[in-house]
Amino acid sequence: MTVKAVAIRRFGGPEGLAVIDLPAPAPAAGQVLIDTEAIGVGGVDAVIRRGTLGLRGFEPGHVLGGEVAGVVTAVGDGVDTAWVGRRVWAFTGLGGGYAERAVARVEQIVPLPADLSAADAVTLGGSGAVAHFALAHARFAPGESVLVRGAAGGIGIMTVQLAARGGAGAAAVTTSSAERGERLRELGATHVLDRSGEGGGDAPEGYDVIIDIVAGADLPSFFARLNPNGRMVVAGAVGGWPPADFGAAMLAAFQRSLSFATFSADTVPLADRHAVTAEQFAAVGRGELRPVVHEVLPLEQAAAAHRKMDAGEVFGRIVLTP
């Protein structure tokens, strides 16, 4: 028996993705097998596909996709059979998700509430946890001003909502259009800036916290937008690496006691991550958080989804369905 999957035929543009047939996977010890109902298309998928950040260990034939939602249909040795038949969200790592069936470690799954759709689960699951812990990493406190750089993607949208929900004195965003800015205002943004951080009328001159999902060549200019004792946390690099000397801009403002950090959810204990994910899933049901699904496409259109991401057309997350 085979399953449909989407793999990298050659690194670079979306045209390098191909729909292939693979032998149906079977769960190894400690794993579960999931019939996928929804597959999240994330920025890290595009980074791996492009091969631009020097990531190692990926070869042609690699199946993309780090998070899925669906029904557990089988378990490996050492896994409680009570999981069979349950709807779950799962983190599959740096690949394996763009497929009709996927395997995941049992410790990497979270049960889904009955009222949460699979599409909403893969839109919120990974992004929501990163946003939560990135704000915690920045030591964000109620009343502080926050700037989210690159706010139209999954992590950015969740960061805006969590900052507003957490009592931010201001929740500013950078984005590419007025239309996106208005949508972000509906989610809690108080000020909308252009990609360079300009505009916004009465926007604060400085911010206590900057959560940056973009990085790239313009990162150093945002040190000037931090208040004294301000903290910048980079939680993504969809714009590529910053210049090698990016820290010079921070050192030039030595007397303002600025801080810079990167953040990866890999440094957060699994139990803590999953507790936050479960609470955020519940918060959706209470109407306190809104997953934003840009579009739902069939698995075979994964390349089209990546073209939309590369063109900057996506607000929220694209979801693939087998």
Side-chain angles (χ1 to χ4, degrees):
M1 181 180 178
T2 62
V3 296
K4 296 290 185 186
V6 174
I8 299 173
R9 181 176 55 202
R10 63 180 182 277
F11 292 91
E15 67 279 1
L17 297 178
V19 180
I20 63 173
D21 289 318
L22 290 176
Q31 292 183 332
V32 301
L33 177 67
I34 300 165
D35 277 5
T36 55
E37 296 176 356
I39 302 155
V41 179
V44 69
D45 300 339
V47 168
I48 293 170
R49 185 209 78 223
R50 295 178 194 129
T52 53
L53 293 189
L55 297 173
R56 299 291 183 261
F58 299 102
E59 302 290 340
H62 176 74
V63 175
L64 288 171
E67 59 183 302
V68 303
V71 177
V72 176
T73 55
V75 299
D77 289 345
V79 179
D80 189 346
T81 57
W83 281 109
V84 175
R86 298 186 68 180
R87 296 175 67 243
V88 299
W89 170 90
F91 176 65
T92 60
L94 292 177
Y98 286 18
E100 293 175 318
R101 292 181 177 178
V103 294
R105 298 289 304 174
V106 67
E107 62 267 22
Q108 295 279 14
I109 63 177
V110 177
L112 294 188
D115 58 354
L116 185 71
S117 72
D120 281 348
V122 297
T123 299
L124 173 61
S127 297
V130 170
H132 172 94
F133 287 108
L135 286 167
H137 201 63
R139 306 186 310 281
F140 164 67
E144 290 191 313
S145 56
V146 178
L147 172 62
V148 183
R149 183 172 176 239
I155 296 172
I157 284 171
M158 294 313 305
T159 304
V160 170
Q161 292 187 66
L162 293 174
R165 186 181 174 198
V173 296
T174 69
T175 190
S176 59
S177 71
E179 185 270 337
R180 289 185 171 202
E182 286 308 307
R183 295 184 70 180
L184 287 162
R185 286 185 186 277
E186 294 172 0
L187 295 168
T190 57
H191 302 85
V192 177
L193 314 178
D194 64 21
R195 283 179 169 174
S196 68
E198 299 291 343
D202 61 347
E205 293 185 7
Y207 298 89
D208 302 306
V209 170
I210 295 177
I211 304 296
D212 188 342
I213 301 106
V214 180
D218 294 334
L219 180 148
S221 67
F222 282 82
F223 286 119
R225 303 186 186 282
L226 283 172
N227 289 332
N229 299 304
R231 294 88 68 195
M232 180 189 296
V233 171
V234 174
V238 296
W241 294 134
D245 63 349
F246 74 90
M250 184 173 70
L251 288 172
F254 193 90
Q255 291 176 312
R256 292 197 288 126
S257 301
L258 307 181
S259 298
F260 173 86
T262 58
F263 172 73
S264 167
D266 289 345
T267 60
V268 179
L270 273 176
D272 295 344
R273 264 189 273 166
H274 289 175
V276 165
T277 298
E279 164 53 27
Q280 290 180 346
F281 285 167
V284 174
R286 298 192 299 267
E288 296 170 3
L289 288 177
R290 276 180 53 193
V292 178
V293 178
H294 177 84
E295 189 174 8
V296 178
L297 295 173
L299 177 64
E300 292 81 359
Q301 293 187 29
H306 277 246
R307 280 192 289 271
K308 291 172 185 284
M309 283 202 299
D310 285 1
E313 299 174 3
V314 179
F315 184 86
R317 172 158 287 192
I318 294 180
V319 174
L320 302 176
T321 57

